Amino acid sequence: MMLNLSAFPIPSPSALPTSAPVAEALLLADDDGTVEWEEEEIVLLHWRLLKAVAELGDPATPLEDKLDMLRWVFTEREKESRPFSFANCIQVVACSPLSPLPYIGQVDADAVKEAIRGQLQAWLQATLNRYPAWVREAVQRHPEWIARHLEKNPQWLNQQVRQRFTQGDLFA
């Protein structure tokens, strides 16, 4: 069964996904809570966030992680100028002399988003194929309901699969 992407809306962005560099920085904060960043560290943080987008193509990446990443990539246009937005990360990494990439220059973030959108169906389907058929069917029929549960508890889907595996299907 192919997932109908139009029936699976990308939920509204909630926040920037938690990442290791951010967590590490919080651990290294001064007593007053301030963190001093070097410009190169900031550019590398932008790069690290962008590199995480590659996880969208990995079938082993959990569905909730993919949804979080998609909320970040496809955020509202008015939020794209904020620090660490997807569009901002692209510009910083493409234009900074401190970037781990050679200088690229201005990049159209919308074109990058369209390239991601073009692969999205296959990426989500590959992840869903790792789940039992009843999960794929539930996602197909009730995507918003699944997304709401995953927003509340990222492990919800895994818990449901585990519970059904241990208890069995009461109606089978």
Side-chain angles (χ1 to χ4, degrees):
M1 165 182 7
M2 285 297 292
L3 175 68
N4 179 0
L5 192 57
S6 63
F8 197 78
I10 298 169
S12 300
S14 55
L16 185 67
T18 304
S19 65
V22 174
E24 290 167 10
L26 293 175
L27 293 174
L28 299 174
D30 293 338
D31 291 338
D32 64 354
T34 60
V35 177
E36 302 235 357
W37 290 77
E38 298 291 325
E39 186 176 354
E40 183 176 12
E41 293 172 320
I42 294 170
V43 172
L44 290 175
L45 178 55
H46 284 83
W47 171 239
R48 190 162 180 179
L49 288 168
L50 282 179
K51 280 180 59 173
V53 174
E55 294 173 13
L56 287 170
D58 182 357
T61 300
L63 186 59
E64 176 58 17
D65 291 354
K66 287 187 178 192
L67 294 176
D68 279 345
M69 186 62 59
L70 292 171
R71 281 190 284 273
W72 177 62
V73 169
F74 295 103
T75 190
E76 293 97 355
R77 184 142 325 261
E78 61 270 8
K79 293 182 179 179
E80 288 184 348
S81 63
R82 290 185 177 178
F84 299 103
S85 69
F86 178 71
N88 189 284
C89 286
I90 288 174
Q91 294 312 314
V92 168
V93 170
C95 296
S96 173
L98 300 173
S99 173
L101 295 178
Y103 178 79
I104 297 170
Q106 291 294 336
V107 174
D108 182 6
D110 289 334
V112 176
K113 289 178 185 181
E114 284 308 310
I116 290 170
R117 189 175 276 117
Q119 296 294 316
L120 199 50
Q121 179 86 19
W123 291 339
L124 289 174
Q125 191 64 49
T127 296
L128 287 172
N129 286 342
R130 297 173 51 97
Y131 287 96
W134 65 268
V135 172
R136 293 191 301 271
E137 185 176 327
V139 169
Q140 179 70 29
R141 289 187 179 176
H142 310 287
E144 296 87 4
W145 181 74
I146 300 285
R148 278 195 308 275
H149 278 285
L150 287 172
E151 274 188 47
K152 292 178 189 172
N153 176 7
Q155 289 301 312
W156 177 80
L157 194 54
N158 293 333
Q159 291 167 351
Q160 297 302 308
V161 170
R162 209 172 308 120
Q163 180 180 358
R164 195 169 216 184
F165 179 76
T166 56
Q167 290 180 351
D169 189 352
L170 299 176
F171 301 103

